[in-house]
Amino acid sequence: MTEKLTSRTAALLTLAPLLWAGNAVVGRLVHELVPPITLNFLRWSLALLLLLPLAYGVLRPGSELWPHWRRYALLGLFGIGLYNALQYMALQTSTPLNVTLVASSMPVWMLALGSLFFGAAVTRRQLLGAVLSMSGVLLVLSHGQWSALLALRLVPGDLLMLLATLSWSLYSWLLVRTSVPVSVRSNWAAFLMAQLVFGLGWSGLLAGGEWALGAARPMVWGWPLVLALAYIAVGPAIIAYRCWGVGVQRVGPAVAGFFSNLTPLFAALLSAAFLGEVPRLYHAGAFALIVGGIVVSSRR
C-alpha cells in the first residue's frame, strides 16, 4: 500500500469493476454474433485506433518504450492477451457461476503473489478483508442459499479461469513494479498504448489460433455488434484499464484486488436492468460484505 485509500481512489477502483461487469453483460448479449476470442481482438484493435491520436509518439523508433519492450510485452501478455483469452476459453467448458466463483479468489492470489515474489507483507486485516470479500461473492453466487455451492462440479474451464485470475494478479503487481521509463509512465495514454501494442499482438495470435483450429464461427455484422464493440473498446478496454492502473499505483495491488470482487455484484445488478433478472435481498448483504472487506483491508 503506497497511499491511503481516499474516496477518489475508491471511486476509480469501483468504476473499473462496474465497466467490466457491463462488458460481461454486453458480451452475453452478442455471444452469438462473434467468436469470443475474436471479439477480444476486435475491441483492442478499436482501442488502439482510439488511443493513436493521444499516444502515437510512444510507437516512434526513438521512443523510450523500445529499450524496455520486454517489460511491456509481459504487461500486454498478462493483462490484455492472456487474461481475456483464458476467461473466454474457460466459458467454453465451465458455467458462468463456476467461472465467477474461481475469479472471486483474486484477493487471495494478490496477497499470495505479493508475499512470494514481490516482498509484500500480508497483515491480519488483509486476511480478514479477504474472508469478508469472498463471503460476499459467495453469497451472490449461491443466491442466498449456501447449499447451492455444494452442487458445484469443477471442470477444465475452472482451471483455465484460475490461470486467468493468476494472470491478472501478476499483471497488477507488475503495474506497480514497472517504474521505467518515466516518460511513458507519466502519460496514461502512452502507458496504456505501451501495453496495448504488445497485448494486441498476443490477442491476434490467439484469435488466429481460434480460426485455424476451426473454433470460430462466421460473424454477424450489424448495429448490435457495432454498438457493442464501441462500448467495450471505450469503457472496459480504455477507461477501466486507466482507472485500475491509477488505483493500483496509489494503494497497491493487495488493496485494489478487493475491489475486483465488486464485478460479480455489479454484473448481477446490470443483468437485472438489461436481462430482466430481478435483484434480491442477498445482493444488499453481499454488497455490505464486499465493502466491509475493502474497508478492513485498506486501513493502515
Side-chain angles (χ1 to χ4, degrees):
M1 187 172 180
T2 57
E3 297 180 13
K4 182 179 179 180
L5 180 63
T6 64
S7 58
R8 180 174 297 183
T9 303
L12 292 174
L13 290 172
T14 301
L15 180 59
L18 176 60
L19 292 171
W20 286 327
N23 178 52
V25 173
V26 171
R28 176 62 182 172
L29 290 173
V30 301
H31 75 282
E32 295 183 352
L33 304 180
V34 58
I37 300 180
T38 301
L39 177 63
N40 183 57
F41 175 70
L42 290 174
R43 79 162 180 167
W44 287 112
S45 298
L46 182 56
L48 178 67
L49 294 177
L50 294 173
L51 279 177
L52 272 178
L54 301 175
Y56 64 90
V58 77
L59 302 179
R60 291 176 175 175
S63 170
E64 293 187 10
L65 163 67
W66 303 117
H68 307 279
W69 68 269
R70 292 180 180 84
R71 184 179 294 272
Y72 288 96
L74 285 177
L75 286 171
L77 171 63
F78 291 121
I80 294 175
L82 194 58
Y83 171 75
N84 294 282
L86 287 170
Q87 184 181 46
Y88 293 137
M89 291 169 62
L91 289 169
Q92 302 302 307
T93 57
S94 185
T95 65
L97 179 63
N98 272 34
V99 165
T100 312
L101 176 60
V102 173
S104 70
S105 65
M106 187 174 296
V108 176
W109 295 116
M110 287 283 196
L111 296 176
L113 290 178
S115 177
L116 291 174
F117 301 110
F118 296 94
V122 179
T123 67
R124 292 182 179 179
R125 287 186 179 275
Q126 289 174 326
L127 292 175
L128 177 58
V131 172
L132 290 173
S133 185
M134 291 185 64
S135 296
V137 174
L138 292 175
L139 185 59
V140 172
L141 298 178
S142 65
H143 298 276
Q145 299 178 358
W146 297 107
S147 59
L149 299 176
L150 300 177
L152 293 175
R153 296 294 183 269
L154 296 180
V155 296
D158 300 328
L159 178 59
L160 290 173
M161 193 59 210
L162 177 59
L163 293 176
T165 304
L166 287 169
S167 177
W168 186 259
S169 300
L170 186 56
Y171 165 77
S172 297
W173 277 108
L174 289 175
L175 275 178
V176 176
R177 300 309 166 101
T178 302
S179 57
V180 290
V182 176
S183 62
V184 176
R185 277 187 76 90
S186 60
N187 184 325
W188 74 267
F191 187 48
L192 182 55
M193 176 67 80
Q195 304 170 56
L196 200 160
V197 67
F198 294 105
L200 186 61
W202 296 115
S203 299
L205 288 174
L206 293 169
E210 183 180 43
W211 286 88
L213 295 175
R217 56 185 178 275
M219 291 184 290
V220 181
W221 285 101
W223 281 113
L225 182 55
V226 171
L227 293 176
L229 284 172
Y231 168 75
I232 63 177
V234 176
I238 295 180
I239 298 177
Y241 272 67
R242 163 62 174 163
C243 293
W244 185 262
V246 173
V248 168
Q249 291 178 30
R250 289 181 179 178
V251 300
V255 173
F258 289 93
F259 283 84
S260 66
N261 273 358
L262 290 170
T263 303
L265 178 62
F266 287 146
L269 297 177
L270 291 175
S271 295
F274 296 100
L275 301 179
E277 299 178 3
V278 180
R280 305 292 182 181
L281 182 61
Y282 61 79
H283 287 125
F287 180 78
L289 287 170
I290 293 173
V291 172
I294 293 172
V295 173
V296 170
S297 65
S298 63
R299 294 185 62 184
R300 290 184 180 272

